[in-house]
Amino acid sequence: KKQILLLSGLRELIYCHQQGFGGDIAPSIEQILPHLNNHLADREEGVRTMVADCMGCLVCLEPAVILPQLQKLVADYSGGENPTICTTVLTSVKYAIAGKCDAEQLLKFMPTFLELLKEEDISVKNACLLMIYSAVHHKPQLVLSFMEATLVPALYELAQLKQERTVDLGPFKQKVDDALPVRKAALSIFSTCLDKCPEAIDIPGFMPILAKALADKEDIQLQAHQILISTSSRYPDAAAAAVESFVAPLEKTMNKSTGTKKGAELERATEWVKSAVRVMIVLSRVTDAMNCSQFADLVARIRKADKFKTMLEELDDSGL
């Protein structure tokens, strides 16, 4: 508890310096870093997040001092030596990027941090993806030069990564997919790239990834629906060329049974189906997708089905 209070006080002190109060923090760095380094691999995630936040602020204040320290931590603890420390380092860089650090100085260290995308540990991969997402959103210049050769191929792979295991809960067993956050993060990066730096993405090459995402877990599907709606308006030819691969997963989602669901569960299930119907309508309106017989047949079947009548009327009237 005392350590948490100490770190909280330290974070506030660093915040004050970042806001321009308290003068130069450089003389205090040597006293601050040991306290942060001691908790890089703390058992409590909240403590590690606090440490990463402090480190990220320090990168903004003293990049020439802190970035080499973070680089050394990666060199010492990557390769499976200590995934937790690597995750904390990547989270620190993510916070630094969001905190408007000096992009020119950080760029020199990006290859070291991006290399962690190759680590086996799933939490490290996810932390690296979240760092990349922050970069694409706030400072695309930090990753643009790495996109074609390194990042896009890795993102294609990670957007399809699955790491399933069975958890024994006594009366029953449950399957857990540890790679679900990784797939979500990879898709988020693609989505942000479409807004911030579309030239970095091979749109036709991305369509097969999107088709697989349409058949993934509910959260991934909803992400894919939003991306496909955006892509259809911006790149109609690419969407139309791939529309046949969208038919089966969209139809499967639209025909999902709500079973005995009630209340919030029923509402969520209905919105999931509605999202897929919305994608179908957008594709039929803004692209040449109706030239694909399989897709045209799907649209005809859905529009004839009584159970979709009210939903279709709502979506048509709303203009989507």
Side-chain angles (χ1 to χ4, degrees):
K1 188 175 180 180
K2 288 181 180 179
Q3 290 297 333
I4 292 176
L5 289 172
L6 173 63
L7 288 170
S8 296
L10 194 55
R11 182 173 61 177
E12 292 306 315
L13 173 67
I14 296 170
Y15 277 172
C16 287
H17 281 277
Q18 195 176 18
Q19 297 302 318
F21 304 105
D24 186 12
I25 200 173
S28 305
I29 294 289
E30 287 188 12
Q31 284 76 43
I32 293 172
L33 281 179
H35 293 289
L36 298 178
N37 289 336
N38 287 340
H39 296 281
L40 287 167
D42 197 278
R43 287 179 298 176
E44 295 291 332
E45 184 180 357
V47 173
R48 298 197 304 273
T49 300
M50 201 180 299
V51 169
D53 194 359
C54 291
M55 284 287 199
C57 290
L58 288 175
V59 169
C60 297
L61 291 166
E62 296 290 335
V65 176
I66 305 301
L67 286 170
Q69 296 274 348
L70 295 179
Q71 185 180 49
K72 185 177 186 307
L73 287 169
V74 171
D76 291 344
Y77 296 107
S78 58
E81 289 296 322
N82 195 318
T84 305
I85 288 180
C86 291
T87 298
T88 306
V89 168
L90 289 165
T91 306
S92 302
V93 179
K94 179 188 76 172
Y95 284 137
I97 294 169
K100 300 179 180 177
C101 64
D102 186 327
E104 188 176 343
Q105 292 206 51
L106 178 54
L107 182 59
K108 294 178 285 187
F109 295 87
M110 286 302 290
T112 297
F113 302 134
L114 293 173
E115 191 69 19
L116 291 173
L117 204 56
K118 298 177 183 177
E119 291 287 293
E120 290 295 323
D121 189 88
I122 205 78
S123 62
V124 178
K125 288 182 185 293
N126 193 50
C128 195
L129 288 172
L130 294 176
M131 178 196 71
I132 294 167
Y133 174 80
S134 183
V136 172
H137 185 72
H138 295 287
K139 296 180 184 291
Q141 67 269 32
L142 289 172
V143 292
L144 275 178
S145 60
F146 307 103
M147 291 296 286
E148 184 177 355
T150 306
L151 294 185
V152 169
L155 290 172
Y156 283 170
E157 181 183 338
L158 293 172
Q160 305 172 76
L161 180 67
K162 292 193 176 182
Q163 198 172 91
E164 296 180 336
R165 58 189 171 91
T166 302
V167 179
D168 191 342
L169 299 174
F172 58 92
K173 294 181 179 180
Q174 182 178 350
K175 272 192 175 181
V176 175
D177 187 351
D178 293 323
L180 181 61
V182 167
R183 298 201 299 280
K184 289 176 70 173
L187 276 182
S188 294
I189 292 169
F190 280 121
S191 178
T192 307
C193 281
L194 290 173
D195 288 329
K196 299 286 185 177
C197 47
E199 70 280 3
I201 302 296
D202 172 19
I203 304 299
F206 177 52
M207 291 297 107
I209 306 299
L210 202 51
K212 288 187 177 181
L214 290 171
D216 207 321
K217 301 287 178 65
E218 180 182 349
D219 288 352
I220 303 290
Q221 283 190 35
L222 292 170
Q223 268 188 295
H225 292 166
Q226 293 301 316
I227 295 171
L228 187 49
I229 287 171
S230 175
T231 305
S232 297
S233 60
R234 297 182 188 185
Y235 308 99
D237 292 342
V243 74
E244 185 177 338
S245 64
F246 304 149
V247 172
L250 284 175
E251 185 166 27
K252 185 175 180 180
T253 297
M254 287 187 280
N255 288 323
K256 282 280 184 184
S257 171
T258 55
T260 58
K261 291 184 175 69
K262 296 180 181 179
E265 281 192 351
L266 177 60
E267 187 178 340
R268 181 179 173 86
T270 303
E271 285 301 316
W272 181 13
V273 172
K274 192 174 184 179
S275 179
V277 175
R278 184 182 291 109
V279 172
M280 181 198 75
I281 294 173
V282 169
L283 281 169
S284 67
R285 286 181 179 176
V286 301
T287 73
D288 293 327
M290 295 301 283
N291 293 333
C292 171
S293 60
Q294 291 94 329
F295 182 72
D297 290 345
L298 170 65
V299 174
R301 286 195 299 274
I302 297 300
R303 288 202 172 273
K304 284 180 183 177
D306 289 339
K307 71 174 185 175
F308 294 110
K309 186 178 179 181
T310 303
M311 189 179 291
L312 286 166
E313 287 175 353
E314 288 178 6
L315 289 169
D316 286 335
D317 291 345
S318 70
L320 302 179

